[in-house]
């Protein structure tokens, strides 16, 4: 059996057998449900997607959950001295890093799936009308967006864990760097800016979830998640391999490792910037259009020719995503009904 598979099974088995993991999963699900209920109440009377509201609630807590699940994947190995044993075998460090990362990410996806199931069952039992506009394509898109974000946070938290011998320090560092600090800075920018959200827009990770649930994903976003996830795994691998470098003779090796990390970070930023500069977007059918009136559907089917709709709206405007979602849904309705061709 390959080292990656062995490490994966060992990581999942360890997480499954620990009581704190079950406690953290329960707290995560409860917190997501609480945020979800608050978002549902705030969105009452609007056309906001119930699936998007749940995904946004889960997205805000993913970094904290990743920090908890990954806090001792390497910290525990360093504290107990098992790292020396792992590094003594003829297996590359990246195999161990990838195996632990996949195990943590798999555990997170199970918790996210349980959160989705529990919230869906609660709505079906107590507020079935809220699920009328939900669509399975939206659910799949939301789960995919959270999977991409979860992979990034799990890889980053694993890299932090490789730098600490204390799991509590690893958790606190990851939670501050990936959860508290980004949202805190963003809220500060919104609060101290005169124009507020119209200048800075939505929080980027929330915007990515909302876009994907509505049926749109940009090349820059997709490339960013892949590249920075790989970068985090590379940093974790180098951090583990640097434990071999002890003594004065390893000074040049440490310098070369630092240089390799700097070049990798520069490459990741350059590739992401290039992909974002290309401004290529992909659209797919994801919910929407089910609440169009019969009169509008009849009008579309009886109209022939081509109609071009142009919306002059900044991407940073809070209304941008809702307008874009409605226009895409209207175009899909026109394509399915025939007659009118909407561009």
């Amino acid at each position: 059996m390959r080292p990656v598979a062995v490490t994966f099974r060992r990581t999942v088995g360890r997480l499954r057998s620990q009581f704190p993991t079950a406690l953290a999963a329960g707290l995560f699900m409860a917190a997501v449900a609480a945020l979800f209920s608050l978002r549902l109440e705030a969105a009452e009377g609007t056309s906001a997607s119930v699936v998007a509201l749940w995904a946004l609630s889960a997205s805000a807590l993913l970094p904290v959950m990743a920090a908890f699940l990954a806090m001792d994947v390497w910290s525990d190995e360093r504290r107990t001295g098992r790292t020396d044993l792992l590094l003594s075998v003829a297996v590359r460090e990246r195999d161990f890093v990838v195996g632990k990362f996949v195990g943590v990410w798999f555990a997170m996806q199970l918790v996210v799936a349980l959160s989705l199931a529990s919230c869906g069952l609660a709505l079906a039992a107590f507020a079935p009308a809220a699920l009328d506009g939900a669509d399975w394509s939206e659910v799949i898109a939301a789960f995919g967006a959270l999977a991409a974000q979860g992979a990034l946070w799990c890889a980053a938290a694993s890299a932090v864990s490789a730098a600490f011998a204390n799991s509590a320090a690893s958790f606190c560092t990851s939670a501050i760097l990936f959860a508290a600090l980004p949202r805190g800075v963003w809220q500060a920018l919104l609060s101290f800016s005169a124009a507020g959200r119209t200048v800075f827009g939505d929080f980027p990770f929330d915007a990515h979830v909302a876009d994907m649930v509505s049926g749109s994903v940009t090349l820059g976003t997709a490339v960013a998640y892949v590249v920075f996830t790989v970068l985090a795994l590379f940093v974790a691998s180098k951090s583990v391999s640097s434990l071999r470098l002890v003594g004065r003779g390893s000074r040049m090796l440490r310098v070369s490792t630092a240089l390799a990390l700097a070049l990798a970070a520069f490459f990741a930023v350059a590739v992401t910037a290039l992909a974002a500069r290309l401004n290529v977007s992909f659209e797919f059918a994801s919910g929407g259009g089910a609440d169009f009136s019969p009169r509008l559907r009849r009008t579309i089917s009886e109209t022939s020719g081509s109609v071009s709709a142009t919306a002059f709206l900044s991407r940073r405007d809070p209304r941008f995503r809702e307008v874009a979602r409605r226009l895409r849904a209207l175009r899909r309705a026109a394509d399915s009904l025939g007659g009118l061709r909407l561009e």
Side-chain angles (χ1 to χ4, degrees):
M1 187 176 294
R2 297 188 60 183
V4 173
V6 174
T7 308
F8 164 75
R9 294 181 61 180
R10 179 171 175 265
T11 303
V12 173
R14 199 158 112 199
L15 290 173
R16 183 181 57 187
S17 62
Q18 292 177 342
F19 173 76
T21 303
L23 179 61
L27 292 176
F28 173 83
M29 294 170 59
V32 170
L35 284 178
F36 181 44
S37 62
L38 293 176
R39 289 180 181 272
L40 277 177
E41 184 178 1
E44 187 175 359
T46 67
S47 59
S49 168
V50 66
V51 178
L53 295 177
W54 169 80
L56 290 172
S57 302
S59 174
L61 298 173
L62 280 183
V64 180
M65 190 63 189
F68 182 86
L69 292 175
M71 66 180 181
D72 62 351
V73 291
W74 284 109
S75 300
D76 184 65
E77 307 282 14
R78 295 187 60 176
R79 184 177 64 254
T80 58
R82 284 196 297 267
T83 305
D84 296 334
L85 179 61
L86 292 177
L87 295 180
S88 65
V89 299
V91 177
R92 294 181 177 179
E93 295 87 357
R94 67 184 182 190
D95 291 338
F96 292 124
V97 169
V98 171
K100 288 178 178 290
F101 156 72
V102 176
V104 171
W105 179 77
F106 178 76
M108 171 178 281
Q109 295 311 111
L110 289 180
V111 176
V112 171
L114 289 174
S115 173
L116 173 61
S118 62
C119 290
L121 291 175
L123 285 181
F126 301 104
L131 297 175
D132 289 344
D135 188 90
W136 277 109
S137 59
E138 286 185 323
V139 175
I140 296 174
F143 201 80
L146 294 180
Q149 290 190 1
L152 174 60
W153 299 133
C154 288
S158 298
V160 172
S161 177
F164 288 91
N166 185 285
S167 57
S170 173
F171 170 77
C172 292
T173 302
S174 297
I176 292 173
L177 288 179
F178 309 135
L181 187 60
R183 289 190 179 269
V185 171
W186 195 262
Q187 289 300 323
L189 291 175
L190 296 183
S191 300
F192 289 103
S193 173
R197 195 175 296 274
T198 57
V199 174
F200 298 102
D202 296 325
F203 187 66
F205 292 102
D206 292 345
H208 298 163
V209 172
D211 285 344
M212 193 162 182
V213 173
S214 66
S216 176
V217 61
T218 61
L219 178 64
T221 300
V223 169
Y225 282 116
V226 174
V227 168
F228 282 102
T229 299
V230 174
L231 174 64
L233 294 177
F234 180 72
V235 172
S237 178
K238 287 298 183 181
S239 298
V240 174
S241 63
S242 66
L243 298 177
R244 300 178 186 266
L245 308 179
V246 180
R248 297 179 57 185
S250 63
R251 184 174 302 173
M252 291 303 299
L253 292 176
R254 291 181 182 275
V255 172
S256 64
T257 299
L259 181 60
L261 292 176
L263 291 176
F266 175 79
F267 176 78
V269 173
V271 170
T272 303
L274 177 61
R277 184 68 176 174
L278 294 176
N279 196 26
V280 178
S281 60
F282 307 95
E283 297 182 4
F284 53 91
S286 177
D291 55 345
F292 290 145
S293 65
R295 181 179 179 181
L296 177 58
R297 291 177 174 275
R298 185 171 62 253
T299 301
I300 292 176
S301 62
E302 294 176 353
T303 305
S304 59
S306 177
V307 174
S308 178
T310 304
F312 294 94
L313 196 63
S314 171
R315 285 183 174 271
R316 295 179 176 177
D317 193 292
R319 300 164 294 179
F320 171 80
R321 285 176 177 80
E322 178 61 21
V323 172
R325 184 179 71 85
R326 299 292 293 179
L327 287 177
R328 286 195 295 268
L330 185 61
R331 184 175 62 183
R332 288 196 295 268
D335 293 340
S336 62
L337 294 172
L340 177 65
R341 188 180 56 169
L342 183 65
E343 298 177 356

